[in-house]
Amino acid sequence: MSGKMTPGRFFTENAVIIIFLSLTVAAIPPSGLSLPYIAQEMITRLGRNSFLVLALLLPIYAGMGLNFGMTLGAMSGQIGLIFAINWNVVGVEGLLFAALLGTPISVFMGWVCGAVLNRAKGREMVTGYILAFFINGIYQFVVLYLMGVVIPIRNPAILLSRGYGIRNTLNLESVRQSLDNLVALRFGGLVIPAATFLVIAALCLFIVWFKKTKLGQDMRAVGYDMVVAEASGIKVDRTRIIAIIISTVLACYGQIIFLQNMGNVATYNAHDQTSFFAVAAILVGGASVKKASIANVFIGVILLHVLFVVSPRAGQNLFGSAMIGEYFRQFIGYGVIALSLVLYAWRAKVEADRKRQGLRGGVAVAANGGAK
Amino acid sequence: MSAEQQKSATPARRWIIRGACGVVYLALLVVLFVNGKGHVILIDNKDAGDHAALEYVLVGVNGAEGVEYYAGDRDKADVKGQKHRLSIELEDGTKVEKSIVVPLTEEMVLVSIPLLLADAEGSVVPFVPKDVAPPADVGGNVNEFTAPLGPDAEAVPEAPLPAN
C-alpha cells in the first residue's frame, strides 16, 4: 500500500494482531498461570506448530491463497508414522523413516491437489478445504478397512480387536519427543528443544533461498498476475502444482514433528484440525490471503497459542467452567479466519477507492507528489 | 557437443539423476530401518543346561547403568539396532564386556548370561511370548474410530466418558 501511515491505517492493517494481543494480555491475569509456565508452553508449541505454519507460505507466495489442502500432507505423515510403528522403527530414525515413507505419498497428494486447484482458479481455498474432506474419506477407508487385510500389518498392538483397521489412538512411545530430546537445552528452568528449532530454522533458510531461485521468482510472478506470467513464458499451471506439492510435503514433515511432540496419534482425527490451526495462526500473525512472511508465522503461533493456553483457565476462573474457555477458543479460532478474510476484502476495497480518488484528483494530486 | 546432441543428452541425464535419487531414497530407507529397528532384549540369569545361574551379577546394556540380577532373575532392555554391548560385572568385581547381535527379523531375543559368559552356543535365542494381549486403548471403545476432542485440546480437561 502507498501513502502515509496514519494511526487509523496502522490499526486497519494490523487489526488482527492488535485484537489478539489485547485479548491475550487481558486473559493472562484471570488465568492465574505463571509467566514461566506460559513461557515453557510457548517454547513447546512453537517447536510443535511452526513447521506446519511455514508450509503455508509458498502457496500464498504463488497466489493460491491459504492452502487448506495441507491436510493431505498431514495424512501422508500419519501413514508414514503408522508404518514406522508397525515395523517398530524407533527414535529419530523412526521419524526420518516415517518422513521418507510419507514423502512420495505427499508428493502424489500434492500433485492431485494442485491439478484440482488449477481447475478452480480464484476459488482455491474453498476447493482445497473440500478436497481435504474428500481425501479424508479415502484415507479413512484405507486405514480402517485395508490396513490389516490388503496392506499387511504385522504389529497386532496397533490393530483393532476385530483384526483389521488401525486403532483410533496410536501410542507413539517409541518415537515420542525423539526430535525434541535429541538436543534439549536448559536455561533458567526452561527446556528448549534445540534440534526441533534447528529444523525449523533450516526450513526458514530454505524458504528464503527458494524465493531467490528462478522457480521462486516464477511463483512470485504467478502470484502477482497469472496472465502476465503466462505471457512471459512461465508455465503457470506447472508452477502452481509445484507450489502445492512443496507445501504438501512440508505439511507431511510438519505433522510428523507435531505428532512426535504430542506422543500419540488420533488416527482418524489428528489431521482434521491441522489446516485450521495453521491458517488461523498465520492470519493472527498478520498475514493475508495474498501476502505472508516468516515473521507472520512466528508472531501468529505465539499469539494464537498463548490464547489457547490461558483462555480455558481464564474461562474457568471467570465463569466457573473450563468448557467456556474451550468454546471461546473454538470461537476465536474460526472467528479470526473470518475476521482476517473480511478485513482483507475491506482493505482491498479501501485501497481501490483510494487509488480511484487519486486518479480523480489528477493534476492537483500529481503536483503534491501522488496519491496519499 | 552440437545442439542436437545436447538436446538428446538432457533427457537421458535427467533420467539418470532421477534414477540416482530413487536409489539414494531406497538406500536411506534401508539404512534407517536397519539402524532404527527396535528390539527387546530379555536378560536372563537362570540355569541353562550345564551352566548354572550366577548368584549375583550386574549387567549394563550399551553403557547404561548396570542392573542387578540375582539367580533366577529376568529383566528386559529396549534397544535400537542390531549390535549391542553388554557390560557384565561379577560378584567378585570382575568386569566382562560381551557383544551380541540381534537378528533384524526378531522383535524379542533372550540372552542367557551364564551361556554368554561361557561363550556357549544358544546364548542369544529368539523369544516369542505365548499370548500377547493388545494394550488397553486410551479412553473409549476400541472399535470406535472417532474421538471427541481435536489434537490440540490438551489444555482442556477431558470430559467424562459416557457409560456404555
Side-chain angles (χ1 to χ4, degrees):
Chain A
M1 282 190 178
S2 57
K4 213 161 128 181
M5 181 62 75
T6 60
R9 194 168 160 188
F10 177 80
F11 179 80
T12 51
E13 286 185 10
N14 300 287
V16 178
I17 297 179
I18 291 167
I19 290 169
F20 250 78
L21 199 54
S22 310
L23 279 171
T24 305
V25 167
I28 289 176
S31 70
L33 295 171
S34 64
L35 287 177
Y37 174 81
I38 294 173
Q40 182 62 65
E41 280 293 309
M42 280 312 94
I43 291 168
T44 305
R45 284 165 185 257
L46 262 175
R48 185 196 298 163
N49 294 289
S50 298
F51 204 102
L52 277 168
V53 185
L54 285 166
L56 289 173
L57 286 179
L58 286 180
I60 294 174
Y61 201 51
M64 302 179 80
L66 301 159
N67 182 21
F68 282 97
M70 69 184 299
T71 304
L72 277 63
M75 286 186 251
S76 309
Q78 283 171 207
I79 290 175
L81 275 172
I82 287 171
F83 283 113
I85 299 300
N86 176 41
W87 288 321
N88 198 23
V89 186
V90 306
V92 174
E93 289 87 347
L95 297 178
L96 290 170
F97 187 78
L100 279 180
L101 277 182
T103 300
I105 302 172
S106 55
V107 168
F108 174 71
M109 294 282 201
W111 174 73
V112 167
C113 185
V116 170
L117 295 188
N118 275 343
R119 284 158 174 76
K121 290 189 175 103
R123 299 179 299 273
E124 287 90 350
M125 286 193 288
V126 68
T127 306
Y129 196 70
I130 301 302
L131 182 66
F133 281 122
F134 171 66
I135 299 295
N136 186 25
I138 297 175
Y139 166 85
Q140 296 213 9
F141 172 70
V142 169
V143 175
L144 188 59
Y145 287 100
L146 297 188
M147 286 195 175
V149 180
V150 175
I151 301 168
I153 299 293
R154 61 194 297 265
N155 185 351
I158 67 172
L159 288 175
L160 292 166
S161 55
R162 64 187 184 185
Y164 62 95
I166 303 297
R167 298 168 75 83
N168 59 316
T169 307
L170 277 187
N171 188 355
L172 296 181
E173 195 62 43
S174 55
V175 296
R176 186 172 184 268
Q177 296 184 347
S178 301
L179 184 63
D180 294 341
N181 294 337
L182 190 65
V183 181
L185 303 175
R186 288 169 206 279
F187 282 120
L190 297 175
V191 179
I192 299 167
T196 310
F197 283 118
L198 280 171
V199 170
I200 291 166
L203 178 59
C204 293
L205 289 172
F206 167 77
I207 290 170
V208 169
W209 166 80
F210 183 81
K211 280 165 137 184
K212 293 176 185 169
T213 61
K214 181 179 181 304
L215 182 57
Q217 290 297 308
D218 285 351
M219 284 186 192
R220 185 165 168 251
V222 167
Y224 189 71
D225 193 314
M226 277 192 279
V227 174
V228 170
E230 188 80 56
S232 306
I234 296 172
K235 292 177 188 169
V236 168
D237 284 358
R238 181 177 169 272
T239 304
R240 284 161 57 93
I241 287 176
I242 292 173
I244 292 295
I245 287 174
I246 295 174
S247 177
T248 308
V249 171
L250 292 176
C252 167
Y253 301 157
Q255 183 73 349
I256 290 171
I257 293 172
F258 177 89
L259 290 171
Q260 62 87 35
N261 182 271
M262 295 292 285
N264 60 64
V265 186
T267 313
Y268 303 97
N269 299 94
H271 48 276
D272 285 347
Q273 303 285 300
T274 301
S275 64
F276 161 67
F277 283 121
V279 164
I282 204 169
L283 290 176
V284 166
S288 71
V289 171
K290 288 278 186 190
K291 198 167 173 239
S293 67
I294 292 174
N296 294 142
V297 168
F298 292 110
I299 293 170
V301 170
I302 290 172
L303 283 179
L304 189 73
H305 286 276
V306 167
L307 199 60
F308 280 5
V309 168
V310 303
S311 60
R313 193 64 71 92
Q316 187 162 15
N317 291 341
L318 286 172
F319 303 107
S321 169
M323 292 310 291
I324 295 286
E326 172 62 14
Y327 163 77
F328 186 65
R329 190 168 76 161
Q330 295 278 337
F331 167 73
I332 289 294
Y334 282 113
V336 75
I337 295 176
L339 177 68
S340 297
L341 294 175
V342 164
L343 277 174
Y344 169 73
W346 177 68
R347 278 205 304 264
K349 185 178 175 301
V350 164
E351 183 62 19
D353 284 345
R354 193 179 285 127
K355 281 182 182 166
R356 260 200 301 275
Q357 289 295 327
L359 287 171
R360 284 192 200 120
V363 172
V365 174
N368 288 333
K372 289 183 182 171
Chain B
M1 197 184 277
S2 70
E4 272 185 21
Q5 281 175 323
Q6 262 186 336
K7 208 172 164 184
S8 64
T10 306
R13 191 167 60 189
R14 194 176 292 156
W15 281 111
I16 290 170
I17 292 171
R18 286 176 184 176
C21 286
V23 169
V24 167
Y25 171 81
L26 288 170
L28 266 175
L29 267 179
V30 169
V31 165
L32 287 169
F33 182 81
V34 169
N35 288 332
K37 182 96 172 68
H39 305 277
V40 176
I41 296 178
L42 295 175
I43 298 171
D44 196 67
N45 185 23
K46 294 181 179 173
D47 295 337
D50 297 333
H51 299 89
L54 297 150
E55 287 304 314
Y56 172 87
V57 68
L58 203 66
V59 181
V61 180
N62 294 331
E65 199 180 324
V67 175
E68 294 175 338
Y69 290 82
Y70 293 94
D73 279 352
R74 179 186 288 180
D75 202 350
K76 73 165 190 167
D78 292 315
V79 295
K80 181 170 63 174
Q82 292 184 270
K83 290 183 186 165
H84 303 286
R85 185 171 42 90
L86 268 63
S87 306
I88 304 170
E89 187 176 332
L90 303 174
E91 203 171 3
D92 59 8
T94 313
K95 289 182 184 173
V96 180
E97 291 273 329
K98 291 287 182 187
S99 291
I100 61 168
V101 176
V102 179
L104 186 65
T105 53
E106 298 300 336
E107 293 290 331
M108 200 181 281
V109 294
L110 185 80
V111 177
S112 170
I113 297 296
L115 290 177
L116 189 68
L117 285 171
D119 291 322
E121 280 285 323
S123 57
V124 180
V125 292
F127 183 88
V128 179
K130 275 187 186 168
D131 294 306
V132 181
D137 202 358
V138 181
N141 188 336
V142 296
N143 285 322
E144 278 184 2
F145 53 91
T146 54
L149 297 175
D152 209 24
E154 74 278 4
V156 179
E158 282 191 12
L161 294 167
N164 284 335

